Amino acid sequence: DTGVSQDPRHKITKRGQNVTFRCDPISEHNRLYWYRQTLGQGPEFLTYFQNEAQLEKSRLLSDRFSAERPKGSFSTLEIQRTEQGDSAMYLCASAGGFYEQYFGPGTRLTVT
Amino acid sequence: GENVEQHPSTLSVQEGDSAVIKCTYSDSASNYFPWYKQELGKRPQLIIDIRSNVGEKKDQRIAVTLNKTAKHFSLHITETQPEDSAVYFCAARTWNNDMRFGAGTRLTVKP
């Protein structure tokens, strides 16, 4: 499968725990995006990387959230001290150019 | 920042009829407008997009129109089929590259 992949697909955690998600973009795509989607809503932009540089961060991204793309390939999104309001689908998308973004299957996070 | 509004939130049509979904955006600097289809439990899938230097684009039964002056764009699906049933999202990309999505339209095509 040469599409965007994400791991894990589902994560259940207790409030206060830290979680980390991984995204592997389409090979050679230099742009990578993280979004959050809650039920009945469209994806909300969180952050954007061009190669290894994090170029934009949404104001939605509190200081409990951090994202990295150390070698310009895969990316990780970490949430520290999870809260119930963090429960959502976390989507990753990659783009080879300036326009089309292709989404991964997402990681569904449930905070109990 | 950019604000994208999408209407209607739900749309039900008979198989073979046309469906139209409309979106408005607020930032006149937005220059790229994709449409995504999301089936239940699946990832959003890019179905068509339009750039700000074009007024209309068509791909088989799907077309998108853009009115930059009025800051609105629309998705048109002709000859709808039951497999077109899904949630459709419009989006607008702002000057700083983040993408703002509408709240989605749940389309149901009745056989």
Side-chain angles (χ1 to χ4, degrees), chain A residues 37 45 56 98 101 103-104, chain B residues 36 38 43 93 96 98:
Chain A
Q37 186 177 27
F45 170 79
E56 292 293 337
F98 209 51
Q101 294 184 23
F103 281 89
Chain B
Y36 285 84
Q38 189 173 30
R43 71 187 76 188
R93 192 188 65 190
N96 62 348
D98 76 61

Side-chain angles (χ1 to χ4, degrees), chain A residues 76-102:
Chain A
T76 57
L77 177 69
E78 181 183 17
I79 309 174
Q80 296 183 326
R81 305 181 302 281
T82 52
E83 302 172 355
Q84 286 189 319
D86 297 331
S87 295
M89 177 74 84
Y90 289 84
L91 292 163
C92 172
S94 73
F98 209 51
Y99 295 102
E100 296 89 350
Q101 294 184 23
Y102 298 94

Side-chain angles (χ1 to χ4, degrees), chain B:
Chain B
E2 175 67 280
N3 183 46
V4 177
E5 295 193 356
Q6 183 171 347
H7 300 280
S9 57
T10 60
L11 179 60
S12 181
V13 300
Q14 206 67 37
E15 182 177 1
D17 288 350
S18 294
V20 180
I21 302 170
K22 298 182 179 181
C23 289
T24 61
Y25 62 98
S26 60
D27 189 342
S28 56
S30 290
N31 58 9
Y32 174 63
F33 308 92
W35 286 88
Y36 285 84
K37 174 183 180 183
Q38 189 173 30
E39 297 174 85
L40 190 62
K42 296 192 175 181
R43 71 187 76 188
Q45 182 181 13
L46 180 66
I47 56 171
I48 196 168
D49 57 9
I50 193 167
R51 302 180 190 182
S52 58
N53 59 346
V54 176
E56 184 174 358
K57 183 177 178 181
K58 190 173 181 180
D59 182 4
Q60 299 182 355
R61 296 186 298 107
I62 296 174
V64 57
T65 58
L66 171 65
N67 183 326
K68 286 176 58 181
T69 303
K71 290 188 282 190
H72 67 70
F73 56 113
S74 301
L75 177 71
H76 304 252
I77 306 175
T78 58
E79 301 171 23
T80 54
Q81 301 166 2
E83 50 265 40
D84 294 330
S85 296
V87 179
Y88 290 80
F89 293 100
C90 64
R93 192 188 65 190
T94 62
W95 61 272
N96 62 348
N97 284 312
D98 76 61
M99 195 97 80
R100 298 298 173 98
F101 284 77
T105 296
R106 181 174 299 280
L107 174 64
T108 303
V109 180
K110 294 180 285 187

